[in-house]
Structure formats: structure tokens, C-alpha cells
Amino acid sequence: MNRTHSSTQPDDVQNITTARTSHSDEMRGRMAKYAIAMGIRLVCFALLFFVDGWWKLLPIAGAVFIPWFAVIIANGGSDTAVPEENALLDHAPQPELEAPAQPAEEAEEPVVLEGEIIPEEITSDPGKA
């Protein structure tokens, strides 16, 4: 069955459960993740003064590589994947008009409109109408 949508109603109705988070909430979350990663890096720098031997390589590696991961996470942006919609309902059902019931034996004659064609006056001046 071919259904057409009216031009006044949008094709995509946003469901509150599938709406993306606001930009300010998304930015706040990314800044929090970046701040936590930089806090871990600060702990790695502090551990350099308390750890000896081969164990010192772990805080050095953390201090070197954590900023790279923090920037990747912070610049990751929003999730561009389309969230799953309700599997049972593709879209809201549109109201339909049903044809009036007509008996088969009654055949309607076509309606003929009668009228008169009045030609428009053509003027050379476009300002006059």
C-alpha cells in the first residue's frame, strides 16, 4: 500500500528516547573525561619520585601516552550512529480517508462544468495589471 505524508507533517518524528544529548551536555562529558585522564597523568608524574627500578617505566609510559588517548577521547564527538527505534512501529500511522460505499448498480455520470472563458487583456506596460 502506498502511503503519502501530508506536507504539513514532518517525515521524521523525534522520539524522546532516541534523541541525542544536547551539545552542552556532550561537551561537559568530554571535558570531564579529558580532566580525569589529565589527572591520571599528573599521578604518573608524581609516581616518578616514589618508584625505583624498572617500575619507573610504567609512570613514564603513562605520562607520555595518556595525553594522546585523552585527546582522541575528547575529540571523538557525538555518536553518529542512528539509535534503534521501536522495532514494532516504523512510523506513526497516518489517518486515512475511506471511500464512501456506493452500490455497484448505480453508475454516476461525470459532472460537466459549464462556463465562459474570458481572455485577459495584454498590456505593453508591465506595471499595469
Side-chain angles (χ1 to χ4, degrees):
M1 180 185 295
N2 186 8
R3 294 184 184 191
T4 58
H5 297 284
S6 67
S7 61
T8 59
Q9 191 170 19
D11 290 337
D12 294 338
V13 178
Q14 189 68 35
N15 189 352
I16 191 66
T17 58
T18 61
R20 292 184 178 168
T21 58
S22 68
H23 181 67
S24 58
D25 289 342
E26 177 189 350
M27 288 295 294
R28 188 177 302 114
R30 291 193 297 167
M31 287 190 308
K33 290 176 188 175
Y34 185 80
I36 290 170
M38 289 299 107
I40 294 171
R41 183 179 188 216
L42 187 63
V43 170
C44 288
F45 276 126
L47 285 176
L48 288 175
F49 295 105
F50 299 105
V51 177
D52 287 331
W54 289 99
W55 289 103
K56 199 173 255 197
L57 291 177
L58 288 175
I60 290 173
V64 170
F65 292 112
I66 285 178
W68 183 76
F69 287 110
V71 169
I72 296 294
I73 291 170
N75 289 337
S78 65
D79 185 16
T80 58
V82 177
E84 288 295 321
E85 298 206 12
N86 190 349
L88 300 176
L89 183 65
D90 284 337
H91 54 80
Q94 300 295 322
E96 296 180 9
L97 295 177
E98 295 185 16
Q102 293 181 354
E105 60 270 358
E106 290 182 24
E108 278 190 33
E109 293 182 19
V111 177
V112 178
L113 298 177
E114 295 182 12
E116 182 179 326
I117 298 176
I118 302 174
E120 293 184 24
E121 291 182 23
I122 300 175
T123 61
S124 61
D125 186 14
K128 295 179 182 177

